């Protein structure tokens, strides 16, 4: 019992440290960018010229909406929803609720995922409309089905393999239908509510003026591409989590 409490305190301490450091970095970057944006807006309002350097030299390009803004906004809303889901599950787990019943983590995950779809609907449609998107219904359907379709495809494949192998881990058809009804009766209305709130709070004013003709972007070397940095960030995060878990179990 003392070991369990000690592990919880260690994990909470690490989480608080990461949140504080991340908050400091985000606050500093936000203040710098906000000051630069406000200066540029004042200069454009007064029709004054300014020597543009760094990111301000391409400010008319970076604020242009992407070609697949529907998919981007849906993926962003899904990501915000999953992050909120993980944080809520983690906070509930710190209270020791998961130790009382078997399968409580999966049950809580299904229910909380259905309840947090309001976050996905709001974030997705708010970002979509801010980029000039007009197909609201298409964005609503994309944000609602983007993650469930991928997850259900992988999960049904694994569940079929477990069913063929006569494994006890395979879920029966009745449980699958029950989970589907939970998702349909909770997720769809909450996603629609989030989309409705996003429509009510949308802002049609753009941050900066946009240039109609985009300038050509030169090719970059392989070690500066997003794929390399994604693999590197994932590897560093995996090593950190692996060392923390290994240290916890060795104690």
């Amino acid at each position: 019992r003392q070991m369990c409490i000690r592990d919880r305190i260690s994990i909470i301490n690490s989480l608080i440290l990461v949140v504080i450091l991340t908050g400091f970095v985000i606050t500093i970057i936000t203040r710098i960018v906000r000051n630069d944006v406000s200066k540029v807006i004042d200069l454009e309002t007064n029709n004054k010229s300014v020597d543009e350097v760094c990111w301000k030299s391409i400010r008319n390009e970076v604020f242009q909406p992407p070609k697949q803004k529907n998919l981007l906004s849906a993926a962003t809303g899904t990501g915000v929803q999953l992050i909120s889901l993980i944080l809520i599950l983690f906070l509930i787990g710190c209270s020791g609720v998961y130790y009382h019943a078997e399968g409580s983590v999966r049950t809580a995950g299904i229910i909380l995922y259905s309840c947090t779809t309001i976050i996905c609907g709001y974030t997705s449609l708010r970002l979509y409309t801010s980029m000039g998107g007009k197909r609201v219904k298409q964005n609503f359907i994309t944000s609602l089905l983007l993650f469930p379709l991928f997850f259900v495809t992988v999960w049904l494949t694994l569940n079929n393999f477990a069913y063929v192998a006569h494994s006890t881990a395979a879920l029966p058809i009745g449980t699958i239908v029950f989970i589907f009804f939970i998702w349909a009766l909770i997720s769809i209305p909450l996603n629609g509510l989030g989309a409705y709130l996003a429509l009510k709070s949308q802002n049609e004013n753009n941050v900066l003026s946009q240039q109609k003709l985009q300038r050509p972007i030169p090719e970059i070397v392989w070690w500066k591409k997003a794929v390399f940095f994604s693999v590197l960030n994932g590897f560093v995060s995996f090593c950190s989590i692996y060392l923390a878990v290994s240290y916890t179990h060795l104690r």
Side-chain angles (χ1 to χ4, degrees), residues 83-199:
I83 292 174
S84 304
L85 173 63
I86 293 172
L87 290 177
I88 295 174
L89 287 174
F90 179 80
L91 293 176
I92 295 176
C94 291
S95 62
V97 176
Y98 301 145
Y99 296 98
H100 299 299
E102 183 180 359
S104 56
V105 179
R106 288 173 291 183
T107 303
I110 294 172
I111 296 176
L112 289 176
Y113 175 81
S114 301
C115 294
T116 52
T117 48
I118 186 175
I119 301 176
C120 177
Y122 178 83
T123 306
S124 176
L125 194 60
R126 180 68 184 270
L127 180 61
Y128 181 70
T129 54
S130 66
M131 293 187 295
K134 301 298 182 182
R135 300 179 179 179
V136 177
K137 295 181 180 180
Q138 182 180 359
N139 180 258
F140 168 76
I141 297 174
T142 306
S143 62
L144 181 65
L145 300 179
L146 181 62
F147 178 76
L149 284 180
F150 172 77
F151 179 79
V152 168
T153 302
V154 177
W155 177 73
L156 283 179
T157 303
L158 297 176
N159 190 73
N160 289 333
F161 279 115
Y163 182 79
V164 171
H166 301 286
S167 175
T168 56
L171 292 180
I173 186 65
T175 305
I176 297 175
V177 173
F178 179 72
I179 294 175
F180 172 77
F181 275 108
I182 291 178
W183 173 82
L185 295 178
I186 299 178
S187 297
I188 297 177
L190 288 181
N191 198 309
L193 178 60
Y196 174 78
L197 295 176
L199 288 176

